[in-house]
């Protein structure tokens, strides 16, 4: 059975596909909402080039006939459309529930325009109820996790981050790194936390996407609403 959240994700993805124009180079996000966008985009049959944010999205896009280029080949992108785990004030985001945050951020930062798509349950007054994904290199990751714990304390966050596992094994990102999830609860100062995490050598990146989304297409029971910063 299709849930209302799935229908809303689909509506947001289909609305975003209408933003794409022929000739564009388009960043394709990762996750169930982004997959609806990719399907709707493929159905339009436009002459575009896609840049994927994960192997899963690359596979989906190619299976649907979207011509793909690497980020290196693309250089600057016209538009990127991607999902999010939380949409907070000023279109601050938590991303990385699908472990693709690093490639996502690389593609977002190379894009002239970034549009986040989501069902309305993702919109929150304060970031942090969704555990913050933090991508770390495998070498010395327990040491890095201790430094993450210190950084969280410095940001007045009481949280023990957990190594993400599936079927009893650590989840590996497309880049071969690990993910720690930090159940922050409330992130009062996302910028301070972002800076603190980025200053840790073993941290590759984190799921705080601040000042990156230009707009959001959020689907609810009454249709798709456009939010701007
Ligand atoms: C993947 C992501 C996804 O965009 C995020 O997890 C939302 O996923 P979904 O659309 O399936 O709810 O950041 O790393």
């Amino acid at each position: 059975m299709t849930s209302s959240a799935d229908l809303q994700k689909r509506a947001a993805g289909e609305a975003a596909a209408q933003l794409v124009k022929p000739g564009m180079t388009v960043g394709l996000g990762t996750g169930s909402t982004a997959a609806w966008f990719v399907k709707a985009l493929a159905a339009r049959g436009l002459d575009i080039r896609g840049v994927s944010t994960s192997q899963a999205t690359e596979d989906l896009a190619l299976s649907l006939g979207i011509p793909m280029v690497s980020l290196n080949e693309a250089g600057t992108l016209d538009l990127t459309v991607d999902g999010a785990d939380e949409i907070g004030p000023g279109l601050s985001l938590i991303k990385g529930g699908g472990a693709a945050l690093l490639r996502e951020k690389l593609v977002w930062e190379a894009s002239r325009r970034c549009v986040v798509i989501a069902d309305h349950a993702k919109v929150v007054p304060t970031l942090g109820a969704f555990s913050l994904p933090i991508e770390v290199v495998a070498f010395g990751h327990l040491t890095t996790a201790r430094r993450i714990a210190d950084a969280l304390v410095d940001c007045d966050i009481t949280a023990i981050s957990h190594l993400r596992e599936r079927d009893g094994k650590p989840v590996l990102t497309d880049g071969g790194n690990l993910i720690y999830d930090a159940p922050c609860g409330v992130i009062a100062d996302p910028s301070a936390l972002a800076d603190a995490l980025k200053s840790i050598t073993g941290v590759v990146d984190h799921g705080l996407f601040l000042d990156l989304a230009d707009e959001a297409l959020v689907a609810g029971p009454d249709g798709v609403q456009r939010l701007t910063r």
Side-chain angles (χ1 to χ4, degrees), residues 9 30-34 82-85 95-101 104 122:
K9 289 176 179 196
T30 294
S32 55
T33 318
D82 198 353
D85 299 299
K95 286 186 50 56
L101 64 96
E104 289 170 338
K122 302 281 183 67

Side-chain angles (χ1 to χ4, degrees), residues 171-195:
V171 168
L172 291 182
T173 67
D174 284 343
N177 298 312
L178 304 174
I179 297 280
Y180 275 83
D181 291 300
C184 297
V186 171
I187 302 174
D189 188 343
S191 298
L193 179 57
D195 290 347

Side-chain angles (χ1 to χ4, degrees), residues 132 151-152 155 157 184 187 189-198 208:
L132 178 65
L152 292 171
C155 292
I157 294 169
C184 297
I187 302 174
D189 188 343
S191 298
L193 179 57
D195 290 347
L197 292 172
K198 279 295 268 191
L208 286 167

Side-chain angles (χ1 to χ4, degrees), residues 9-131:
K9 289 176 179 196
R10 180 177 186 165
E14 290 179 350
Q18 296 305 314
L19 301 175
V20 180
K21 296 186 173 54
M24 279 186 166
T25 302
V26 184
L28 310 179
T30 294
S32 55
T33 318
W36 284 117
F37 165 71
V38 173
K39 288 175 198 164
L41 179 59
R44 291 193 65 200
L46 300 174
D47 177 20
I48 57 121
R49 307 186 305 168
V51 178
S52 72
T53 53
S54 64
Q55 192 57 51
T57 296
E58 179 93 12
D59 294 345
L60 175 65
L62 288 173
S63 75
L64 295 171
I66 297 177
M68 300 297 289
V69 293
S70 69
L71 180 55
N72 281 338
E73 290 168 299
T76 302
L77 285 70
D78 298 293
L79 169 70
T80 284
V81 176
D82 198 353
D85 299 299
E86 282 188 344
I87 302 176
L91 300 187
S92 56
L93 308 175
I94 286 183
K95 286 186 50 56
L101 64 96
L102 176 61
R103 292 191 183 187
E104 289 170 338
K105 203 175 275 185
L106 285 164
V107 171
W108 279 56
E109 288 181 350
S111 300
R112 290 193 190 93
R113 181 183 179 194
C114 296
V115 177
V116 60
I117 52 175
D119 59 286
H120 75 298
K122 302 281 183 67
V123 179
V124 296
T126 314
L127 295 178
F130 189 93
S131 290

